Amino acid sequence: MAQKITIDGVEYDLDSLSENARAQVVNLRATDQELARAQALVAMLQTARTTYANVLKAELAAQAPASSTGKAKN
């Protein structure tokens, strides 16, 4: 069975495309894979950042004197 690709709502048989068009399909697929990996990395880093911020807040709260209002003193 021939592989198909749909671009702008038009279905193309990959075997009927020029060599250059097939190369661009390969480039698009590789780019899509890298974008997906980058998006997964960003999601992981955002989760880690949120966790680090929460741990820092808890640490600061544990170190704060009982009478502290959270305002910095000059």
Side-chain angles (χ1 to χ4, degrees):
M1 181 176 203
Q3 290 185 348
K4 307 264 185 202
I5 187 168
T6 303
I7 306 219
D8 293 334
V10 179
E11 189 174 87
Y12 299 91
D13 182 354
L14 283 177
D15 292 335
S16 69
L17 299 179
S18 69
E19 185 176 328
N20 186 39
R22 285 192 305 272
Q24 298 315 310
V25 169
V26 169
N27 291 338
L28 282 170
R29 288 179 175 168
T31 302
D32 286 344
Q33 289 174 345
E34 288 301 314
L35 281 169
R37 286 176 35 168
Q39 289 166 342
L41 178 59
V42 167
M44 179 190 71
L45 292 172
Q46 287 173 330
T47 299
R49 186 186 189 289
T50 299
T51 301
Y52 297 146
N54 289 338
V55 169
L56 176 58
K57 287 177 191 178
E59 180 68 18
L60 293 174
Q63 290 181 6
S67 63
S68 174
T69 61
K71 294 182 181 177
K73 295 182 181 179
N74 292 335

PDB file of all heavy atoms in Angstrom, residues 2 12 25 29 33 43 47 52 65:
ATOM      1  N   ALA A   2       0.586   2.179  -0.859  1.00  0.00           N
ATOM      2  CA  ALA A   2       1.372   3.397  -0.992  1.00  0.00           C
ATOM      3  C   ALA A   2       1.117   4.328   0.187  1.00  0.00           C
ATOM      4  O   ALA A   2      -0.002   4.437   0.670  1.00  0.00           O
ATOM      5  CB  ALA A   2       1.030   4.101  -2.299  1.00  0.00           C
ATOM      6  N   TYR A  12      -1.694  13.341  -1.104  1.00  0.00           N
ATOM      7  CA  TYR A  12      -0.689  13.031  -2.119  1.00  0.00           C
ATOM      8  C   TYR A  12      -0.121  11.645  -1.869  1.00  0.00           C
ATOM      9  O   TYR A  12       0.093  11.248  -0.727  1.00  0.00           O
ATOM     10  CB  TYR A  12       0.472  14.039  -2.073  1.00  0.00           C
ATOM     11  CG  TYR A  12       0.070  15.456  -2.345  1.00  0.00           C
ATOM     12  CD1 TYR A  12      -0.299  16.314  -1.311  1.00  0.00           C
ATOM     13  CD2 TYR A  12       0.077  15.960  -3.641  1.00  0.00           C
ATOM     14  CE1 TYR A  12      -0.659  17.628  -1.556  1.00  0.00           C
ATOM     15  CE2 TYR A  12      -0.274  17.282  -3.903  1.00  0.00           C
ATOM     16  CZ  TYR A  12      -0.647  18.104  -2.856  1.00  0.00           C
ATOM     17  OH  TYR A  12      -0.999  19.409  -3.106  1.00  0.00           O
ATOM     18  N   VAL A  25       9.326  16.438   2.829  1.00  0.00           N
ATOM     19  CA  VAL A  25       8.460  15.671   3.729  1.00  0.00           C
ATOM     20  C   VAL A  25       9.299  15.083   4.860  1.00  0.00           C
ATOM     21  O   VAL A  25       8.917  15.143   6.035  1.00  0.00           O
ATOM     22  CB  VAL A  25       7.688  14.566   2.968  1.00  0.00           C
ATOM     23  CG1 VAL A  25       7.002  13.614   3.935  1.00  0.00           C
ATOM     24  CG2 VAL A  25       6.674  15.181   2.000  1.00  0.00           C
ATOM     25  N   ARG A  29       8.909  15.976   8.842  1.00  0.00           N
ATOM     26  CA  ARG A  29       8.724  14.943   9.870  1.00  0.00           C
ATOM     27  C   ARG A  29       9.795  15.043  10.952  1.00  0.00           C
ATOM     28  O   ARG A  29       9.502  14.943  12.145  1.00  0.00           O
ATOM     29  CB  ARG A  29       8.714  13.556   9.233  1.00  0.00           C
ATOM     30  CG  ARG A  29       7.440  13.288   8.455  1.00  0.00           C
ATOM     31  CD  ARG A  29       7.454  11.937   7.804  1.00  0.00           C
ATOM     32  NE  ARG A  29       6.171  11.664   7.164  1.00  0.00           N
ATOM     33  CZ  ARG A  29       5.962  10.667   6.323  1.00  0.00           C
ATOM     34  NH1 ARG A  29       6.940   9.849   6.008  1.00  0.00           N
ATOM     35  NH2 ARG A  29       4.765  10.494   5.791  1.00  0.00           N
ATOM     36  N   GLN A  33       9.214  15.989  14.929  1.00  0.00           N
ATOM     37  CA  GLN A  33       9.715  15.162  16.027  1.00  0.00           C
ATOM     38  C   GLN A  33      10.551  15.987  17.003  1.00  0.00           C
ATOM     39  O   GLN A  33      10.429  15.840  18.220  1.00  0.00           O
ATOM     40  CB  GLN A  33      10.546  13.995  15.484  1.00  0.00           C
ATOM     41  CG  GLN A  33       9.723  12.937  14.794  1.00  0.00           C
ATOM     42  CD  GLN A  33      10.590  11.867  14.141  1.00  0.00           C
ATOM     43  OE1 GLN A  33      11.795  12.034  13.950  1.00  0.00           O
ATOM     44  NE2 GLN A  33       9.965  10.748  13.779  1.00  0.00           N
ATOM     45  N   ALA A  43       7.954  21.290  29.095  1.00  0.00           N
ATOM     46  CA  ALA A  43       6.979  20.880  30.117  1.00  0.00           C
ATOM     47  C   ALA A  43       7.687  20.326  31.346  1.00  0.00           C
ATOM     48  O   ALA A  43       7.320  20.642  32.484  1.00  0.00           O
ATOM     49  CB  ALA A  43       6.020  19.841  29.536  1.00  0.00           C
ATOM     50  N   THR A  47       7.711  22.060  35.127  1.00  0.00           N
ATOM     51  CA  THR A  47       7.330  21.293  36.320  1.00  0.00           C
ATOM     52  C   THR A  47       8.436  21.360  37.365  1.00  0.00           C
ATOM     53  O   THR A  47       8.169  21.575  38.551  1.00  0.00           O
ATOM     54  CB  THR A  47       7.029  19.832  35.943  1.00  0.00           C
ATOM     55  OG1 THR A  47       5.941  19.825  35.012  1.00  0.00           O
ATOM     56  CG2 THR A  47       6.665  18.995  37.153  1.00  0.00           C
ATOM     57  N   TYR A  52      10.766  23.461  42.443  1.00  0.00           N
ATOM     58  CA  TYR A  52      11.843  24.166  43.137  1.00  0.00           C
ATOM     59  C   TYR A  52      11.316  25.412  43.845  1.00  0.00           C
ATOM     60  O   TYR A  52      11.716  25.713  44.980  1.00  0.00           O
ATOM     61  CB  TYR A  52      12.966  24.561  42.173  1.00  0.00           C
ATOM     62  CG  TYR A  52      13.674  23.405  41.524  1.00  0.00           C
ATOM     63  CD1 TYR A  52      14.149  23.515  40.222  1.00  0.00           C
ATOM     64  CD2 TYR A  52      13.883  22.194  42.194  1.00  0.00           C
ATOM     65  CE1 TYR A  52      14.815  22.459  39.607  1.00  0.00           C
ATOM     66  CE2 TYR A  52      14.543  21.145  41.585  1.00  0.00           C
ATOM     67  CZ  TYR A  52      15.003  21.283  40.297  1.00  0.00           C
ATOM     68  OH  TYR A  52      15.654  20.248  39.697  1.00  0.00           O
ATOM     69  N   PRO A  65      10.875  33.956  61.233  1.00  0.00           N
ATOM     70  CA  PRO A  65      10.445  34.093  62.621  1.00  0.00           C
ATOM     71  C   PRO A  65       8.915  34.129  62.707  1.00  0.00           C
ATOM     72  O   PRO A  65       8.260  34.558  61.768  1.00  0.00           O
ATOM     73  CB  PRO A  65      11.035  35.429  63.076  1.00  0.00           C
ATOM     74  CG  PRO A  65      11.989  35.847  62.014  1.00  0.00           C
ATOM     75  CD  PRO A  65      11.677  35.059  60.796  1.00  0.00           C
TER      76      PRO A  65
END
